[in-house]
């Protein structure tokens, strides 16, 4: 996840540097809002936070991306959609034990997986904050 998000952030930066994509005012405003919402959802690294809370925060970040994607079109929408796709493993995770066959295929995520997803969202948040100031 983190590698994909890093690649998306680099691509967005390259497109802006090469003037392939010049964010509009609407792009910058939405990027700023999404960056703020992602920062609120995931926040700084907190190793002591319970897994159920971490999963809730990650799913909130995915909801932020989905809502934002529905509100814009063009390169920013494509960036947000690609980021959502990169983060889809989060949708297959569960934080609580489940009886065999009752979890709809959800799996327990490892602490490393949580950390990777959170780091990816923080990187995306930084890229969006950069776009907001373009």
């Amino acid at each position: 996840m983190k590698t994909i998000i890093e690649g998306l952030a680099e691509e967005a930066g390259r497109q802006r540097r090469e003037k392939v994509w010049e964010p509009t005012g609407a792009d910058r405003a939405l990027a700023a809002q999404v960056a703020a919402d992602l920062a609120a959802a995931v926040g700084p690294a907190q190793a002591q936070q319970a897994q159920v809370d971490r999963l809730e925060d990650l799913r909130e970040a995915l909801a932020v991306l989905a809502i934002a994607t529905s509100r814009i079109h063009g390169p920013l929408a494509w960036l947000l959609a690609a980021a959502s796709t990169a983060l889809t493993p989060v949708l297959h995770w569960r934080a609580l034990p489940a009886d065999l066959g009752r979890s709809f295929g959800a799996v327990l995520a490892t602490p490393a997986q949580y950390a990777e997803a959170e780091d990816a969202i923080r990187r995306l948040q930084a890229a969006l904050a950069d776009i907001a100031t373009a």
Side-chain angles (χ1 to χ4, degrees):
M1 285 178 276
K2 188 176 177 183
T3 302
I4 294 169
I5 296 295
E6 184 63 38
L8 293 171
E10 289 174 10
E11 175 69 11
R14 185 190 60 74
Q15 286 188 20
R16 289 186 6 259
R17 281 189 307 279
E18 294 177 0
K19 305 289 186 201
V20 173
W21 173 33
E22 295 186 31
T24 65
D27 289 341
R28 289 190 302 278
L30 186 61
Q33 183 61 56
V34 173
D37 291 347
L38 290 177
V42 176
Q46 298 177 15
Q48 301 302 323
Q49 190 177 22
Q51 286 188 349
V52 70
D53 295 328
R54 291 174 83 178
L55 185 55
E56 179 182 332
D57 292 346
L58 289 167
R59 288 182 177 162
E60 182 178 337
L62 278 168
V64 165
L65 294 174
I67 291 167
T69 302
S70 73
R71 295 178 46 208
I72 196 93
H73 61 277
L76 183 57
W78 305 330
L79 171 62
L80 296 174
S84 296
T85 300
L87 294 165
T88 58
V90 170
L91 298 174
H92 301 284
W93 295 350
R94 60 183 165 87
L96 303 174
D99 294 333
L100 186 63
R102 293 187 41 191
S103 66
F104 297 93
V107 297
L108 292 169
T110 67
Q113 288 172 309
Y114 280 108
E116 179 186 358
E118 291 161 344
D119 288 345
I121 290 170
R122 287 185 195 99
R123 177 61 181 107
L124 178 61
Q125 182 271 329
L128 291 167
D130 188 50
I131 291 167
T133 60

